[in-house]
Amino acid sequence: MPKEQEDRERDVGGVAADRLRSIVERIERLEEERKAIGSDVKDIYAESKSAGFEPKVIRQIIALRKKEPAEVEEQETLLDLYRRALGM
């Protein structure tokens, strides 16, 4: 293939085709990995349920563990305040 034609295939309308293809393929691979991981997580929640745990509560625990302790404490304080205000 002549050098000029090779350059045209790599640079189409100011777009580096090889670079773009590489980026798209990497994203596609990561999307597939995300899909597989999502399936694995779903399986673990099903396992937790069959072991007698409540998946909804486990999701809440995971959300809490992602937060800073001060933020969790503030939310718990507000929740307690609101419960008392509602007579709960």
Side-chain angles (χ1 to χ4, degrees):
M1 179 180 300
K3 175 77 169 135
E4 185 178 305
Q5 184 181 0
E6 210 173 280
D7 288 345
R8 266 188 266 125
E9 287 183 16
R10 287 196 187 111
D11 189 359
V12 180
V15 176
D18 290 342
R19 179 76 171 140
L20 178 59
R21 183 176 295 104
S22 170
I23 289 169
V24 168
E25 288 172 353
R26 287 170 41 211
I27 291 170
E28 289 171 339
R29 276 193 304 275
L30 289 171
E31 290 291 342
E32 283 299 315
E33 288 177 28
R34 182 186 348 204
K35 185 177 174 183
I37 290 170
S39 178
D40 291 346
V41 170
K42 184 178 175 182
D43 291 345
I44 294 170
Y45 278 114
E47 177 186 337
S48 73
K49 187 171 186 168
S50 69
F53 297 106
E54 181 58 47
K56 187 175 180 179
V57 176
I58 292 173
R59 288 180 194 280
Q60 291 174 338
I61 293 294
I62 290 170
L64 286 172
R65 288 171 53 111
K66 290 179 182 178
K67 296 178 181 178
E68 293 294 322
E71 185 181 358
V72 172
E73 185 178 340
E74 179 182 352
Q75 285 181 347
E76 288 175 350
T77 301
L78 285 172
L79 182 60
D80 184 53
L81 177 66
Y82 292 177
R83 281 183 177 154
R84 284 188 283 131
L86 295 171
M88 297 174 71

Coordinates of all heavy atoms in Angstrom, one line a residue:
M1 N 0.9 -1.2 0.0 CA 0.0 0.0 0.0 C 0.9 1.2 0.0 O 1.8 1.3 0.8 CB -0.9 0.0 1.3 CG -1.8 1.1 1.4 SD -2.9 1.1 2.9 CE -3.8 -0.4 2.7
P2 N 0.6 2.2 -0.9 CA 1.5 3.4 -1.0 C 1.3 4.2 0.3 O 0.3 4.2 1.0 CB 0.9 4.2 -2.1 CG 0.0 3.2 -2.9 CD -0.4 2.1 -1.9
K3 N 2.4 4.9 0.7 CA 2.5 5.7 1.9 C 1.3 6.7 2.0 O 0.7 6.9 3.0 CB 3.8 6.4 2.0 CG 4.0 7.3 3.2 CD 4.2 6.5 4.5 CE 4.6 7.5 5.5 NZ 4.0 7.3 6.8
E4 N 1.0 7.3 0.9 CA 0.0 8.4 0.8 C -1.4 7.8 1.2 O -2.2 8.3 2.0 CB -0.1 9.0 -0.6 CG -1.0 10.2 -0.6 CD -1.0 10.8 -2.0 OE1 0.1 11.2 -2.5 OE2 -2.1 10.9 -2.6
Q5 N -1.7 6.6 0.6 CA -3.0 5.9 0.9 C -3.0 5.5 2.4 O -4.0 5.6 3.1 CB -3.2 4.8 0.0 CG -4.6 4.1 0.2 CD -4.7 2.9 -0.7 OE1 -3.9 2.6 -1.5 NE2 -5.9 2.3 -0.6
E6 N -1.9 5.0 2.9 CA -1.8 4.6 4.3 C -2.1 5.8 5.2 O -2.8 5.7 6.2 CB -0.4 4.1 4.6 CG -0.3 3.0 5.6 CD 1.1 2.4 5.7 OE1 1.5 1.6 4.8 OE2 1.8 2.8 6.6
D7 N -1.5 6.9 4.9 CA -1.7 8.1 5.7 C -3.2 8.6 5.7 O -3.8 9.0 6.7 CB -0.9 9.3 5.2 CG 0.6 9.1 5.6 OD1 0.9 8.2 6.4 OD2 1.5 9.8 5.0
R8 N -3.8 8.4 4.5 CA -5.3 8.8 4.4 C -6.1 7.9 5.3 O -7.1 8.3 5.9 CB -5.7 8.7 3.0 CG -5.6 10.1 2.3 CD -6.2 10.0 0.9 NE -5.2 9.7 -0.1 CZ -5.2 8.8 -1.0 NH1 -6.2 8.0 -1.1 NH2 -4.1 8.6 -1.8
E9 N -5.8 6.6 5.4 CA -6.6 5.7 6.1 C -6.4 5.9 7.6 O -7.3 5.7 8.4 CB -6.2 4.2 5.8 CG -6.7 3.8 4.5 CD -6.4 2.4 4.2 OE1 -6.0 1.6 5.1 OE2 -6.5 2.0 3.0
R10 N -5.3 6.4 8.0 CA -5.0 6.7 9.4 C -5.6 8.1 9.9 O -5.9 8.3 11.0 CB -3.5 6.7 9.7 CG -3.0 5.3 9.7 CD -1.6 5.3 10.4 NE -1.0 4.0 10.2 CZ 0.0 3.7 9.5 NH1 0.6 4.7 8.8 NH2 0.5 2.5 9.4
D11 N -5.7 9.0 8.9 CA -6.2 10.4 9.2 C -7.3 10.7 8.3 O -7.1 11.1 7.2 CB -5.0 11.4 9.1 CG -5.4 12.7 9.6 OD1 -6.5 12.9 10.1 OD2 -4.5 13.6 9.6
V12 N -8.5 10.5 8.8 CA -9.7 10.7 7.9 C -10.4 12.0 8.4 O -10.9 12.0 9.6 CB -10.7 9.5 8.0 CG1 -11.9 9.8 7.1 CG2 -9.9 8.3 7.5
G13 N -10.4 13.0 7.6 CA -11.1 14.3 8.0 C -10.6 14.9 9.3 O -11.3 15.4 10.1
G14 N -9.3 14.7 9.5 CA -8.7 15.3 10.7 C -8.8 14.3 11.9 O -8.4 14.7 13.0
V15 N -9.4 13.1 11.7 CA -9.5 12.2 12.8 C -8.5 11.1 12.6 O -8.5 10.4 11.6 CB -11.0 11.6 12.8 CG1 -11.1 10.5 13.9 CG2 -12.0 12.7 13.0
A16 N -7.8 10.8 13.7 CA -6.8 9.7 13.6 C -7.6 8.4 13.8 O -7.9 8.0 14.9 CB -5.7 9.9 14.7
A17 N -7.8 7.7 12.7 CA -8.7 6.5 12.8 C -8.1 5.4 13.7 O -8.9 4.8 14.4 CB -8.9 6.0 11.3
D18 N -6.8 5.2 13.6 CA -6.2 4.1 14.5 C -6.4 4.4 15.9 O -6.8 3.6 16.7 CB -4.7 4.0 14.2 CG -4.5 3.4 12.8 OD1 -5.4 2.8 12.2 OD2 -3.3 3.5 12.3
R19 N -6.2 5.7 16.3 CA -6.4 6.1 17.7 C -7.9 6.0 18.1 O -8.2 5.5 19.2 CB -5.9 7.5 17.9 CG -6.0 8.1 19.3 CD -5.0 7.5 20.2 NE -5.0 8.2 21.4 CZ -4.9 7.7 22.6 NH1 -4.6 6.4 22.7 NH2 -5.0 8.4 23.7
L20 N -8.8 6.4 17.3 CA -10.2 6.3 17.6 C -10.6 4.9 17.7 O -11.3 4.5 18.7 CB -11.0 7.0 16.5 CG -12.5 7.0 16.6 CD1 -13.0 7.6 17.9 CD2 -13.2 7.6 15.4
R21 N -10.2 4.0 16.8 CA -10.5 2.6 16.9 C -10.0 2.0 18.2 O -10.7 1.2 18.8 CB -9.9 1.9 15.7 CG -10.3 0.4 15.6 CD -9.7 -0.3 14.4 NE -10.4 0.2 13.2 CZ -9.8 1.0 12.3 NH1 -8.5 1.4 12.5 NH2 -10.4 1.4 11.3
S22 N -8.8 2.4 18.6 CA -8.2 1.8 19.8 C -9.1 2.3 21.0 O -9.4 1.4 21.9 CB -6.8 2.4 20.0 OG -6.3 2.1 21.3
I23 N -9.5 3.5 21.1 CA -10.3 4.0 22.2 C -11.7 3.3 22.2 O -12.1 2.8 23.3 CB -10.5 5.5 22.0 CG1 -9.2 6.2 22.4 CG2 -11.6 6.1 22.9 CD1 -9.2 7.7 22.0
V24 N -12.3 3.2 21.1 CA -13.6 2.5 21.0 C -13.5 1.0 21.4 O -14.3 0.6 22.2 CB -14.2 2.6 19.6 CG1 -15.4 1.7 19.4 CG2 -14.6 4.0 19.2
E25 N -12.5 0.4 21.0 CA -12.3 -1.0 21.4 C -12.0 -1.2 22.9 O -12.5 -2.1 23.5 CB -11.2 -1.7 20.5 CG -11.6 -1.9 19.1 CD -10.4 -2.3 18.2 OE1 -9.3 -2.3 18.7 OE2 -10.7 -2.6 17.0
R26 N -11.3 -0.3 23.4 CA -11.0 -0.3 24.9 C -12.3 -0.1 25.7 O -12.6 -0.8 26.7 CB -10.0 0.7 25.3 CG -8.6 0.3 24.9 CD -7.5 1.4 25.0 NE -7.6 2.2 26.2 CZ -7.3 3.5 26.3 NH1 -6.8 4.1 25.2 NH2 -7.3 4.1 27.4
I27 N -13.1 0.8 25.2 CA -14.4 1.1 25.9 C -15.3 -0.2 25.8 O -15.9 -0.6 26.8 CB -15.1 2.3 25.3 CG1 -14.3 3.6 25.7 CG2 -16.6 2.4 25.8 CD1 -14.8 4.8 25.0
E28 N -15.3 -0.8 24.6 CA -16.1 -2.0 24.4 C -15.7 -3.1 25.4 O -16.5 -3.8 26.0 CB -16.1 -2.4 23.0 CG -16.8 -1.5 22.0 CD -16.6 -1.9 20.6 OE1 -15.6 -2.5 20.2 OE2 -17.4 -1.4 19.7
R29 N -14.4 -3.3 25.5 CA -13.9 -4.3 26.4 C -14.3 -4.0 27.8 O -14.7 -4.9 28.6 CB -12.4 -4.4 26.3 CG -11.9 -5.3 25.2 CD -10.4 -5.6 25.3 NE -9.6 -4.4 25.4 CZ -9.1 -3.7 24.4 NH1 -9.4 -4.1 23.2 NH2 -8.3 -2.7 24.6
L30 N -14.2 -2.8 28.3 CA -14.5 -2.4 29.6 C -16.0 -2.6 29.9 O -16.5 -3.0 31.0 CB -14.1 -1.0 29.9 CG -12.6 -0.8 30.1 CD1 -12.2 0.7 30.2 CD2 -12.1 -1.5 31.3
E31 N -16.9 -2.2 28.9 CA -18.3 -2.4 29.0 C -18.6 -3.9 29.2 O -19.5 -4.3 30.0 CB -19.0 -1.9 27.8 CG -19.0 -0.4 27.7 CD -19.9 0.3 28.7 OE1 -20.7 -0.3 29.4 OE2 -19.6 1.5 28.9
E32 N -18.0 -4.8 28.5 CA -18.2 -6.2 28.6 C -17.7 -6.7 30.0 O -18.4 -7.5 30.7 CB -17.4 -7.0 27.6 CG -18.0 -7.0 26.2 CD -19.4 -7.6 26.2 OE1 -19.6 -8.7 26.8 OE2 -20.3 -7.0 25.6
E33 N -16.6 -6.1 30.5 CA -16.2 -6.5 31.9 C -17.2 -6.0 32.9 O -17.5 -6.7 33.9 CB -14.8 -5.9 32.1 CG -13.6 -6.5 31.4 CD -12.3 -5.9 31.6 OE1 -12.1 -5.3 32.7 OE2 -11.5 -5.9 30.7
R34 N -17.7 -4.8 32.7 CA -18.7 -4.2 33.6 C -19.9 -5.1 33.7 O -20.5 -5.4 34.7 CB -19.1 -2.8 33.2 CG -20.1 -2.2 34.2 CD -20.6 -0.9 33.9 NE -20.1 -0.1 32.9 CZ -20.2 1.2 32.8 NH1 -20.8 1.9 33.7 NH2 -19.6 1.9 31.8
K35 N -20.3 -5.6 32.5 CA -21.5 -6.5 32.4 C -21.3 -7.8 33.2 O -22.1 -8.3 33.9 CB -21.8 -6.8 30.9 CG -23.0 -7.6 30.7 CD -23.3 -7.8 29.2 CE -24.4 -8.7 28.9 NZ -24.6 -8.9 27.5
A36 N -20.1 -8.3 33.0 CA -19.7 -9.6 33.7 C -19.7 -9.4 35.2 O -20.2 -10.2 36.0 CB -18.4 -10.1 33.2
I37 N -19.1 -8.2 35.6 CA -19.0 -7.9 37.1 C -20.4 -7.7 37.6 O -20.7 -8.2 38.7 CB -18.1 -6.7 37.3 CG1 -16.6 -7.1 37.0 CG2 -18.2 -6.2 38.7 CD1 -15.7 -5.9 37.0
G38 N -21.2 -7.0 36.9 CA -22.6 -6.8 37.4 C -23.3 -8.1 37.6 O -24.1 -8.3 38.5
S39 N -23.1 -9.1 36.7 CA -23.7 -10.4 36.8 C -23.1 -11.1 38.1 O -23.9 -11.8 38.8 CB -23.4 -11.2 35.6 OG -23.9 -12.5 35.7
D40 N -21.9 -11.0 38.3 CA -21.2 -11.6 39.5 C -21.8 -11.0 40.8 O -22.1 -11.7 41.7 CB -19.7 -11.4 39.5 CG -19.0 -12.2 38.4 OD1 -19.6 -13.1 37.8 OD2 -17.8 -11.8 38.1
V41 N -22.0 -9.7 40.8 CA -22.6 -9.0 42.0 C -24.0 -9.5 42.2 O -24.4 -9.8 43.4 CB -22.5 -7.5 41.8 CG1 -23.3 -6.8 42.9 CG2 -21.1 -7.0 41.8
K42 N -24.8 -9.6 41.2 CA -26.1 -10.1 41.3 C -26.1 -11.5 41.9 O -27.0 -11.8 42.7 CB -26.8 -10.1 39.9 CG -28.2 -10.5 39.9 CD -28.8 -10.5 38.5 CE -30.2 -11.0 38.4 NZ -30.8 -11.0 37.1
D43 N -25.2 -12.4 41.4 CA -25.1 -13.7 41.9 C -24.8 -13.7 43.4 O -25.3 -14.5 44.2 CB -24.0 -14.5 41.2 CG -24.4 -14.8 39.8 OD1 -25.6 -14.7 39.4 OD2 -23.5 -15.2 39.0
I44 N -23.9 -12.8 43.9 CA -23.6 -12.7 45.3 C -24.8 -12.3 46.1 O -25.0 -12.8 47.2 CB -22.4 -11.8 45.5 CG1 -21.1 -12.4 44.9 CG2 -22.1 -11.6 47.0 CD1 -19.9 -11.5 44.8
Y45 N -25.6 -11.3 45.6 CA -26.8 -10.9 46.3 C -27.7 -12.1 46.4 O -28.4 -12.3 47.5 CB -27.4 -9.7 45.7 CG -26.8 -8.4 46.1 CD1 -26.1 -7.6 45.1 CD2 -26.9 -7.9 47.4 CE1 -25.5 -6.4 45.5 CE2 -26.3 -6.7 47.7 CZ -25.6 -6.0 46.8 OH -25.0 -4.8 47.2
A46 N -27.9 -12.9 45.4 CA -28.7 -14.1 45.4 C -28.2 -15.1 46.5 O -29.0 -15.7 47.2 CB -28.8 -14.7 44.0
E47 N -26.9 -15.2 46.5 CA -26.3 -16.1 47.5 C -26.6 -15.6 48.9 O -26.9 -16.4 49.8 CB -24.8 -16.2 47.2 CG -24.0 -17.0 48.2 CD -22.5 -16.9 48.0 OE1 -22.0 -16.6 46.9 OE2 -21.8 -17.2 49.0
S48 N -26.5 -14.3 49.1 CA -26.7 -13.8 50.4 C -28.1 -14.0 50.9 O -28.4 -14.3 52.0 CB -26.4 -12.3 50.5 OG -27.3 -11.5 49.8
K49 N -29.1 -13.9 49.9 CA -30.5 -14.1 50.2 C -30.7 -15.6 50.6 O -31.4 -15.9 51.6 CB -31.4 -13.7 49.0 CG -32.8 -13.7 49.4 CD -33.7 -13.1 48.3 CE -35.1 -13.1 48.7 NZ -35.9 -12.3 47.8
S50 N -30.1 -16.5 49.8 CA -30.3 -17.9 50.1 C -29.6 -18.3 51.5 O -30.0 -19.3 52.1 CB -29.8 -18.8 49.0 OG -28.4 -18.7 48.9
A51 N -28.7 -17.5 51.9 CA -28.0 -17.7 53.2 C -28.8 -17.1 54.4 O -28.4 -17.1 55.5 CB -26.6 -17.2 53.2
G52 N -29.9 -16.4 54.0 CA -30.8 -15.8 55.1 C -30.6 -14.4 55.3 O -31.2 -13.8 56.2
F53 N -29.7 -13.7 54.5 CA -29.5 -12.3 54.7 C -30.4 -11.5 53.8 O -30.9 -12.0 52.8 CB -28.1 -11.9 54.3 CG -27.1 -12.5 55.3 CD1 -26.3 -13.6 54.8 CD2 -26.9 -12.1 56.6 CE1 -25.4 -14.2 55.6 CE2 -26.0 -12.7 57.4 CZ -25.2 -13.8 57.0
E54 N -30.7 -10.3 54.1 CA -31.6 -9.4 53.3 C -30.8 -8.5 52.4 O -30.1 -7.6 52.9 CB -32.5 -8.5 54.3 CG -33.4 -7.6 53.6 CD -34.4 -8.4 52.7 OE1 -35.0 -9.4 53.1 OE2 -34.6 -8.0 51.5
P55 N -30.8 -8.8 51.1 CA -30.0 -8.0 50.1 C -30.2 -6.5 50.2 O -29.3 -5.8 50.0 CB -30.4 -8.6 48.8 CG -30.9 -10.0 49.1 CD -31.5 -9.9 50.4
K56 N -31.4 -6.1 50.5 CA -31.7 -4.7 50.5 C -30.9 -4.0 51.7 O -30.4 -2.9 51.5 CB -33.2 -4.5 50.8 CG -33.7 -3.0 50.7 CD -35.2 -2.9 50.8 CE -35.7 -1.5 50.8 NZ -37.1 -1.4 50.9
V57 N -30.8 -4.7 52.8 CA -30.1 -4.2 53.9 C -28.6 -4.2 53.6 O -27.8 -3.3 54.0 CB -30.4 -5.0 55.2 CG1 -29.5 -4.5 56.4 CG2 -31.9 -4.8 55.6
I58 N -28.1 -5.3 52.9 CA -26.7 -5.4 52.6 C -26.3 -4.2 51.6 O -25.3 -3.6 51.8 CB -26.4 -6.7 51.9 CG1 -26.5 -7.8 52.9 CG2 -25.0 -6.7 51.3 CD1 -26.4 -9.2 52.4
R59 N -27.2 -3.8 50.7 CA -27.0 -2.7 49.8 C -26.8 -1.4 50.7 O -26.0 -0.6 50.4 CB -28.1 -2.5 48.8 CG -28.1 -3.6 47.8 CD -29.3 -3.4 46.8 NE -29.5 -4.5 45.9 CZ -28.8 -4.8 44.9 NH1 -27.8 -4.1 44.5 NH2 -29.1 -5.9 44.2
Q60 N -27.7 -1.3 51.7 CA -27.6 -0.1 52.6 C -26.3 0.0 53.3 O -25.7 1.0 53.4 CB -28.8 0.0 53.5 CG -30.1 0.2 52.9 CD -31.3 0.1 53.8 OE1 -31.2 -0.5 54.9 NE2 -32.4 0.7 53.5
I61 N -25.9 -1.2 53.8 CA -24.6 -1.3 54.5 C -23.4 -0.9 53.6 O -22.5 -0.1 54.0 CB -24.3 -2.7 55.1 CG1 -25.3 -3.0 56.2 CG2 -22.9 -2.9 55.6 CD1 -25.2 -2.2 57.4
I62 N -23.5 -1.4 52.4 CA -22.4 -1.0 51.4 C -22.4 0.5 51.1 O -21.3 1.1 51.1 CB -22.6 -1.9 50.1 CG1 -22.2 -3.4 50.4 CG2 -21.7 -1.3 49.0 CD1 -22.6 -4.3 49.3
A63 N -23.6 1.1 51.0 CA -23.7 2.5 50.8 C -23.1 3.3 51.9 O -22.4 4.3 51.7 CB -25.1 2.9 50.5
L64 N -23.4 2.8 53.1 CA -22.9 3.5 54.3 C -21.3 3.4 54.4 O -20.7 4.3 54.8 CB -23.5 2.9 55.6 CG -24.9 3.3 55.9 CD1 -25.5 2.4 57.1 CD2 -25.0 4.7 56.2
R65 N -20.8 2.2 54.1 CA -19.4 2.0 54.1 C -18.6 2.9 53.2 O -17.4 3.2 53.4 CB -19.0 0.5 53.9 CG -19.4 -0.3 55.1 CD -19.3 -1.8 54.8 NE -18.0 -2.2 54.3 CZ -17.1 -2.9 54.9 NH1 -17.4 -3.4 56.2 NH2 -16.0 -3.2 54.4
K66 N -19.3 3.4 52.1 CA -18.6 4.3 51.1 C -18.5 5.7 51.7 O -17.7 6.5 51.1 CB -19.4 4.3 49.8 CG -19.4 3.0 49.1 CD -20.2 3.1 47.8 CE -20.2 1.8 47.0 NZ -21.0 1.8 45.8
K67 N -19.3 6.0 52.7 CA -19.4 7.4 53.2 C -18.4 7.6 54.3 O -17.9 6.7 55.0 CB -20.8 7.7 53.7 CG -21.8 7.7 52.6 CD -23.2 8.0 53.1 CE -24.2 7.9 52.0 NZ -25.6 8.1 52.5
E68 N -18.1 8.9 54.5 CA -17.2 9.2 55.6 C -18.0 9.0 57.0 O -19.2 9.3 57.0 CB -16.8 10.7 55.5 CG -15.9 11.0 54.3 CD -14.5 10.3 54.4 OE1 -14.0 10.2 55.6 OE2 -14.0 9.8 53.4
P69 N -17.3 8.6 58.0 CA -17.9 8.4 59.3 C -18.7 9.7 59.8 O -19.8 9.5 60.3 CB -16.8 8.1 60.3 CG -15.7 7.5 59.4 CD -15.9 8.3 58.1
A70 N -18.2 10.8 59.6 CA -18.9 12.1 60.0 C -20.2 12.2 59.3 O -21.3 12.6 59.8 CB -18.0 13.3 59.8
E71 N -20.2 11.9 58.0 CA -21.4 12.0 57.2 C -22.5 11.0 57.6 O -23.7 11.3 57.7 CB -21.1 11.8 55.7 CG -22.3 12.0 54.8 CD -21.9 11.7 53.3 OE1 -20.7 11.4 53.0 OE2 -22.8 11.8 52.5
V72 N -22.0 9.8 58.0 CA -23.0 8.7 58.4 C -23.6 9.2 59.8 O -24.8 9.1 60.0 CB -22.2 7.4 58.6 CG1 -23.1 6.4 59.3 CG2 -21.7 6.9 57.3
E73 N -22.7 9.7 60.7 CA -23.2 10.2 62.0 C -24.2 11.3 61.8 O -25.3 11.3 62.5 CB -22.0 10.6 62.8 CG -22.4 11.0 64.2 CD -21.3 11.4 65.1 OE1 -20.1 11.1 64.8 OE2 -21.5 12.1 66.1
E74 N -24.0 12.2 60.9 CA -24.9 13.3 60.7 C -26.2 12.8 60.2 O -27.3 13.2 60.6 CB -24.3 14.3 59.7 CG -25.2 15.5 59.4 CD -24.6 16.4 58.3 OE1 -23.5 16.3 57.9 OE2 -25.4 17.3 57.9
Q75 N -26.2 11.9 59.2 CA -27.5 11.3 58.7 C -28.2 10.6 59.8 O -29.5 10.7 59.9 CB -27.2 10.4 57.5 CG -26.8 11.1 56.3 CD -26.5 10.1 55.1 OE1 -26.4 8.9 55.3 NE2 -26.4 10.7 53.9
E76 N -27.5 9.8 60.6 CA -28.2 9.1 61.7 C -28.8 10.0 62.7 O -29.9 9.8 63.2 CB -27.2 8.1 62.3 CG -26.9 6.9 61.4 CD -25.8 6.0 62.0 OE1 -25.2 6.3 63.1 OE2 -25.6 4.9 61.5
T77 N -28.1 11.1 63.0 CA -28.6 12.1 63.9 C -29.9 12.7 63.4 O -30.9 12.9 64.1 CB -27.6 13.2 64.2 OG1 -26.4 12.5 64.8 CG2 -28.1 14.2 65.2
L78 N -29.9 13.1 62.1 CA -31.0 13.7 61.5 C -32.2 12.7 61.4 O -33.4 13.1 61.7 CB -30.7 14.2 60.1 CG -29.9 15.5 60.0 CD1 -29.5 15.8 58.6 CD2 -30.7 16.7 60.6
L79 N -31.9 11.5 61.1 CA -32.9 10.5 61.0 C -33.6 10.3 62.4 O -34.8 10.2 62.5 CB -32.4 9.1 60.5 CG -33.3 8.0 60.4 CD1 -34.4 8.3 59.4 CD2 -32.6 6.7 59.9
D80 N -32.8 10.3 63.4 CA -33.3 10.1 64.8 C -34.2 11.4 65.1 O -35.3 11.2 65.7 CB -32.2 10.0 65.8 CG -32.7 9.8 67.2 OD1 -33.5 8.8 67.4 OD2 -32.2 10.5 68.1
L81 N -33.7 12.5 64.8 CA -34.4 13.8 65.1 C -35.8 13.8 64.3 O -36.8 14.1 64.9 CB -33.6 15.0 64.6 CG -34.3 16.3 64.8 CD1 -34.5 16.7 66.2 CD2 -33.4 17.4 64.1
Y82 N -35.8 13.4 63.1 CA -37.0 13.3 62.3 C -38.0 12.3 62.8 O -39.2 12.5 62.9 CB -36.7 13.1 60.8 CG -36.0 14.2 60.1 CD1 -35.6 14.0 58.8 CD2 -35.7 15.4 60.7 CE1 -35.0 15.0 58.1 CE2 -35.0 16.4 60.0 CZ -34.7 16.2 58.7 OH -34.0 17.2 58.0
R83 N -37.5 11.1 63.3 CA -38.3 10.1 63.8 C -39.0 10.6 65.1 O -40.2 10.4 65.3 CB -37.5 8.9 64.2 CG -37.2 8.0 63.0 CD -36.5 6.8 63.5 NE -36.2 5.9 62.4 CZ -35.2 5.0 62.3 NH1 -34.3 4.9 63.3 NH2 -35.0 4.2 61.3
R84 N -38.2 11.3 66.0 CA -38.8 11.8 67.2 C -39.8 12.9 66.9 O -40.9 13.0 67.6 CB -37.7 12.3 68.1 CG -36.9 11.2 68.8 CD -35.9 11.7 69.9 NE -34.7 12.2 69.2 CZ -34.2 13.4 69.5 NH1 -34.7 14.2 70.4 NH2 -33.1 13.8 68.8
A85 N -39.6 13.7 65.9 CA -40.5 14.8 65.5 C -41.8 14.2 65.0 O -42.9 14.8 65.2 CB -39.9 15.7 64.5
L86 N -41.8 13.0 64.5 CA -43.0 12.3 63.9 C -43.6 11.3 65.0 O -44.5 10.6 64.7 CB -42.6 11.6 62.6 CG -42.3 12.5 61.5 CD1 -41.8 11.6 60.3 CD2 -43.4 13.3 61.1
G87 N -43.0 11.3 66.2 CA -43.5 10.4 67.2 C -43.2 8.9 66.9 O -44.0 8.1 67.3
M88 N -42.2 8.6 66.2 CA -41.9 7.2 65.9 C -40.9 6.7 66.9 O -40.0 7.2 67.3 CB -41.2 7.2 64.5 CG -42.2 7.6 63.4 SD -41.5 7.7 61.8 CE -41.2 6.0 61.4

